[in-house]
Amino acid sequence: MEYKFVSNLKKYRQLANLTQEELAEKVLVRRETIVRLEAGKYNPSLKLAIDISRALQAPIEEIFVFE
């Protein structure tokens, strides 16, 4: 079964007034990883999803949605 992955990362990153580079530094990944996550082309590991959720102070299930 194929699940649709929707990323609201860009919206939440912008609400937190962070650039892609700043968010990448906070969660210890490359900016390219943030670009791919925002485009919905990459599913984050659970640890990365939690780190991003904490950095943006938003629930994981609102940032990353599996339909």
Side-chain angles (χ1 to χ4, degrees), residues 14 17 22 37-38 50:
Q14 290 173 334
N17 287 319
E22 289 167 338
L37 284 167
E38 287 186 357
I50 290 170

Side-chain angles (χ1 to χ4, degrees), residues 14-52:
Q14 290 173 334
L15 285 171
N17 287 319
L18 291 173
T19 65
Q20 290 174 334
E21 188 70 41
E22 289 167 338
L23 178 57
E25 287 175 12
K26 281 182 175 284
V27 298
L28 306 175
V29 297
R30 294 169 44 223
R31 188 183 69 82
E32 290 78 11
T33 302
I34 302 301
V35 170
R36 291 182 68 214
L37 284 167
E38 287 186 357
K41 301 210 180 310
Y42 176 69
N43 292 346
S45 67
L46 182 56
K47 180 185 184 321
L48 179 55
I50 290 170
D51 289 347
I52 289 171

